[in-house]
Amino acid sequence: MLLTINTAFAQTAAEIHVEEITYEHAGVELTGYLAHDASREGPRPGVIVVHEWWGHDTHARRRVEMLAEAGYVGFALDMYGTGKLAEHPSEAREFSTAVRSNRDTMLGRFQAAEALLREHGLTGGEPLAAIGYCFGGSVVLEAARSGADLAMVASFHGALATEHPARPDSVKADILVFNGVDDPLVPAEQIAAFREEMATAGVDYTFIDFAGATHSFTNPGADAIAEQFDMPVGYNARADRDSWNWLIAYLNDRV
């Protein structure tokens, strides 16, 4: 399915094309979402977007469109399977745990999307990066720990703990972490362990804390989720805006 979104910014006109792409990993059908600016010519770097624990949703798709507006080829992968979108936290926990508890599955589904984007004609051998939100943040960090050939990964309000810490000289990607100071799901001891892990492995990383921000601070729907399910999440417009601006600056510099 191909759609076209016209958007204007600065003094240039962007012609954003978006497309659903069906692919598979280990016999499981997955549906991703690709966006690019058709008014630009030639190949450009690609950026993988990994969704929150709810599944491949409008939040991930909007980020892909924003990446296209910034001049990149964005691809929102699917970690659960076509049409598998959680409506309740218990369902989201079930879906995300099933993936995270099997590292081969988690990395395999990420790698399937990475291969798709790397081989796409629009990227033309240009570098790739990956960003992730909440659950997706932990996925991109695991991909970096595994030695994925990425220029950069960025985690937005994602868990930092791992059972497979980075080894010296194993991480190729620069790492960028955006964290909410008031996020109870990423406690101080987890942050300290992550910093120690990165230092021990000699990883080039940047850690940015946002005062007053809690979990899911980039998701405009987080306040409604907090009210409906009594969860410690919330949208923070300043942290959302500033973290995105940091991301684009880092992408422009490193990718």
Side-chain angles (χ1 to χ4, degrees), residues 135-160:
F135 159 77
S138 68
V139 171
V140 300
L141 289 176
E142 286 300 302
R145 289 176 174 118
S146 75
D149 187 15
L150 301 167
M152 189 190 80
V153 302
S155 168
F156 294 79
H157 43 81
L160 306 175

Side-chain angles (χ1 to χ4, degrees), residues 236-248:
N236 185 303
R238 176 188 59 82
D240 180 21
R241 179 195 65 239
D242 290 353
S243 62
W244 187 259
N245 289 338
W246 270 96
L247 172 72
I248 297 303

Side-chain angles (χ1 to χ4, degrees), residues 174-247:
D174 285 352
I175 291 180
L176 181 58
V177 173
F178 299 108
N179 183 67
V181 171
D182 297 336
D183 188 346
L185 302 182
V186 186
E189 55 269 26
Q190 191 176 122
I191 295 172
F194 175 78
R195 290 185 181 278
E196 182 177 357
E197 175 197 357
M198 295 294 103
T200 299
V203 177
D204 184 8
Y205 80 102
T206 300
F207 195 103
I208 301 173
D209 259 335
F210 291 99
T214 187
H215 205 65
S216 290
F217 62 75
T218 65
N219 190 340
D223 291 341
I225 292 170
E227 182 176 355
Q228 182 178 1
F229 299 113
D230 191 26
M231 294 179 64
V233 300
Y235 180 62
N236 185 303
R238 176 188 59 82
D240 180 21
R241 179 195 65 239
D242 290 353
S243 62
W244 187 259
N245 289 338
W246 270 96
L247 172 72

